[in-house]
Amino acid sequence: ILMYFQNIPFPKEYYFILDVDIGKALLLTAMIFFFLSRDKLKKLDKYKLEPRTTILFGTLSILSFVGYFFLKTFLISNPIFAVNNISLFYPLKELTLILGSLFLIISFYGIKFSKDFIKQFKKEIGISLVIFILALFLIIEFQKLWVYFSFVVAKSVYYLLNLTSHTALSFSNNTPTISLNNFIVNIGKPCSGIDSMLMFVFLYIFIVGYDWKVFNKKKVMLMFIPGVISVFFLNIIRIYLLIVIGAFISPTFALGFFHTNASMILFLGYFALFWGLLYKWMKKSEFRKGNGLKEYVKKRKVKLRKR
C-alpha cells in the first residue's frame, strides 16, 4: 500500500523530517534492541495464533494506511491549508503510519504475546525509545554536511561509470547530477552516505561500550576507521548500482523499491558480515573460547582470594 502511495508528494514544508530518516533511526534502534535483548529473546514462550485478532487488527492496519493515502490527497489538493495547519496535519500524518504499523504487528503476533512482550522488555523498550530520539536528532544534524560527502560520492560514481559507459556530471546549487542514457540522478542528502556512517558509528560505539571488558582495545580502535570508510564506499556502490539499474534495466524500480530499500538492506548485510567476521577476533584471548567469560570470572575470584 505504501509503495503505491509513495509517488504522491506532500507539500515541501512537510519534509523537514524525512520518513526515510525516521526509518533509518528505527532500524538502528531495532538493531540495538536486539543486541540488548538477545539472551531474553531466546527464552520467549510459544504462543498460539489468534485468528480473530489477525482479522480485526489486520483490517485496522489497512484502514490506517488507506487513511494515510486520503490524508495525502487532501493535503495535496489544499496546499495552502496544509501549510497553514502543518502543526496539526504533520503529527496526524505520522500517527496514521504509527497506528498502521502497530496494528499490523498486533495482527501478526496477537494481543497476548504483545502484552507479555511489553511486560518482559519494559527496560529495553525504554532505552530503545531514548536511542531512537537521539539517533534521529543526530541523523538530521549530521546531514547538514551532506554537500561535501555528496561531492565525493558523485565524483567516485562518475569515475566508476565512465569505466564502461559515457556519463555526464554537472553541479547545480552544490547538488551533483549524474546522467547516463537519459537517466538522471541528483546526489542529494539521502545519497550522501552520512546517515549510514552515523548508524555504523552509533552501533559500533554502543556494542564496544556494552562489551568493553571483553574486547581487545587495540583491535577495537584499529578496526573503527576502516569500518566507517568501508560503509561510505558501500554507499558509493549503492548509488552506482542505482544508476546502472535505472539506465539499463528499469528506472521505476531503481527510483522506487531499490532507492527506498537498498540502503537499509546493504547496511544490514554489511554490518552483520562485519561483526560476524571480526567480533570473535576483536575479543581478548580469554573470551574467545565458549566459556571464556566463566573462566575469566573464576580466575579473577582466585586472584582476589589470594590477595
Side-chain angles (χ1 to χ4, degrees):
I1 294 171
L2 292 177
M3 285 295 293
Y4 179 74
F5 299 154
Q6 70 175 355
N7 293 324
I8 304 172
F10 282 104
K12 64 179 181 179
E13 288 80 4
Y14 278 68
Y15 291 97
F16 63 94
I17 297 178
L18 299 177
D19 286 339
V20 67
D21 292 336
I22 295 174
K24 287 173 181 176
L26 283 171
L27 173 63
L28 173 65
T29 304
M31 293 174 73
I32 290 177
F33 175 84
F34 178 80
F35 188 81
L36 280 172
S37 314
R38 60 191 187 278
D39 294 327
K40 290 172 69 174
L41 287 169
K42 294 176 184 177
K43 299 174 183 177
L44 283 173
D45 296 327
K46 292 183 178 180
Y47 290 76
K48 291 183 179 180
L49 180 67
E50 302 175 17
R52 291 182 180 178
T53 301
T54 300
I55 294 170
L56 174 61
F57 282 90
T59 303
L60 290 173
S61 177
I62 292 171
L63 290 174
S64 296
F65 290 131
V66 170
Y68 174 78
F69 166 71
F70 282 115
L71 179 63
K72 254 192 169 187
T73 54
F74 170 76
L75 295 175
I76 293 163
S77 302
N78 304 275
I80 297 174
F81 181 77
V83 173
N84 291 337
N85 295 276
I86 191 171
S87 59
L88 170 64
F89 288 110
Y90 184 86
L92 186 61
K93 171 182 82 78
E94 295 301 320
L95 182 63
T96 55
L97 291 175
I98 292 169
L99 288 177
S101 302
L102 288 176
F103 290 150
L104 185 63
I105 290 169
I106 295 171
S107 72
F108 187 82
Y109 289 104
I111 294 175
K112 191 175 188 307
F113 173 85
S114 301
K115 286 182 178 178
D116 292 347
F117 188 87
I118 292 171
K119 288 179 182 178
Q120 291 181 49
F121 294 90
K122 277 183 181 178
K123 181 181 177 182
E124 291 83 356
I125 291 171
I127 294 171
S128 297
L129 182 60
V130 174
I131 289 171
F132 169 74
I133 295 170
L134 179 61
L136 183 59
F137 171 78
L138 289 174
I139 287 172
I140 293 170
E141 288 300 309
F142 271 84
Q143 279 192 347
K144 293 176 181 177
L145 302 171
W146 71 271
V147 174
Y148 308 103
F149 289 95
S150 289
F151 178 83
V152 177
V153 171
K155 284 288 188 179
S156 302
V157 172
Y158 174 71
Y159 173 78
L160 292 173
L161 290 170
N162 265 339
L163 293 176
T164 55
S165 308
H166 179 68
T167 312
L169 173 63
S170 60
F171 292 85
S172 177
N173 296 326
N174 294 323
T175 302
T177 299
I178 295 178
S179 60
L180 175 63
N181 288 358
N182 295 320
F183 182 73
I184 302 171
V185 173
N186 293 326
I187 312 297
K189 285 183 183 180
C191 302
S192 65
I194 288 181
D195 44 6
S196 297
M197 288 189 292
L198 181 62
M199 286 173 68
F200 180 87
V201 170
F202 204 100
L203 282 167
Y204 193 96
I205 292 172
F206 178 83
I207 292 173
V208 170
Y210 189 84
D211 280 340
W212 181 248
K213 294 181 180 179
V214 173
F215 285 121
N216 181 303
K217 309 304 182 289
K218 290 182 180 179
K219 290 181 178 179
V220 165
M221 290 186 286
L222 179 67
M223 293 310 302
F224 178 71
I225 298 299
V228 175
I229 294 173
S230 58
V231 169
F232 183 69
F233 279 109
L234 186 69
N235 180 66
I236 292 173
I237 293 170
R238 177 177 73 92
I239 302 303
Y240 172 82
L241 291 174
L242 184 146
I243 295 173
V244 169
I245 292 170
F248 297 106
I249 302 174
S250 171
T252 303
F253 177 78
L255 295 176
F257 182 84
F258 188 87
H259 182 266
T260 304
N261 299 286
S263 177
M264 292 187 184
I265 293 171
L266 288 173
F267 179 82
L268 278 173
Y270 171 79
F271 196 79
L273 181 65
F274 180 90
W275 284 104
L277 293 174
L278 298 175
Y279 186 78
K280 189 175 181 180
W281 174 78
M282 290 168 70
K283 287 182 177 181
K284 294 177 181 177
S285 57
E286 61 264 30
F287 288 95
R288 290 181 194 169
K289 297 179 182 178
N291 297 318
L293 181 58
K294 293 180 181 179
E295 293 173 5
Y296 176 75
V297 171
K298 286 179 182 179
K299 288 179 182 179
R300 292 291 297 170
K301 286 181 178 179
V302 170
K303 286 181 180 180
L304 288 172
R305 285 173 186 170
K306 287 181 179 180
R307 287 178 185 174

